[in-house]
Amino acid sequence: MIDAEFVRVMARYNEWQNRNLYDAADGLSDADRRRDRGAFFGSIHATLCHLLWGDGMWMHRFAGLPKPDGPISGSVDMVGDWPELRAARADMDAAILSWATSLSSDWLVGDLTWYSGAAGRDLSRPKATLVTHFFNHQTHHRGQVHAMLTAAGARPGDTDLMLMGDAV
């Protein structure tokens, strides 16, 4: 299915795209970042908080990083201050890159079992599928943020993986 090199490319893409969106969001006022824009989590800020929370949950499961506080419903308020959120995002992206860099393809074989708060029970799924979900979840919510930023008048940069340059 996937191998460690795929994970490394996607980790680099994740960092590149998060920087892209945060740079675009820097040009908005705090009120504009927090304005409810009709997305699933409402605002740009709330969606970015949820994405950070989700990445933290998966990195807890994959690499033993500290588990984020609270349930999914509280993820939208995870970090209230914009500079603090931006710094936490950079730290998470560095942790994801570090994990991906040290990952062996052998780790992707077999299942991972964890308690899912969303499902309210233990789940067990193939690790390769879960890692694919991890990156897909990021892309899904970044797409929402990109749409909200564009509607707010911000102009994020390129998003196509093939345009990432030498990092691919």
Side-chain angles (χ1 to χ4, degrees), residues 47-143:
T47 303
L48 291 172
C49 280
H50 168 74
L51 188 50
L52 177 67
W53 180 90
D55 285 355
M57 285 299 252
W58 285 111
M59 290 307 297
H60 170 72
R61 295 168 186 151
F62 295 158
L65 268 61
K67 184 177 178 181
D69 293 331
I72 291 173
S73 60
S75 67
V76 298
D77 298 317
M78 185 173 159
V79 182
D81 179 68
W82 178 250
E84 185 182 338
L85 177 58
R86 186 170 180 125
R89 178 74 263 170
D91 290 346
M92 179 60 68
D93 289 345
I96 293 168
L97 283 165
S98 177
W99 167 74
T101 299
S102 65
L103 188 70
S104 76
S105 291
D106 292 340
W107 184 90
L108 294 164
V109 176
D111 291 347
L112 178 71
T113 301
W114 77 102
Y115 178 80
S116 168
R121 61 187 166 90
D122 285 337
L123 294 176
S124 186
R125 299 287 186 272
K127 290 178 188 175
T129 300
L130 295 173
V131 171
T132 302
H133 164 76
F134 171 63
F135 290 118
N136 187 61
H137 180 258
Q138 294 168 347
T139 300
H140 165 69
H141 286 302
R142 278 195 307 264

Side-chain angles (χ1 to χ4, degrees), residues 17 19-20 31 54 64 68 127 149 159 165 167:
Q17 283 307 300
R19 193 170 2 97
N20 177 22
K127 290 178 188 175
L149 285 168
T159 61

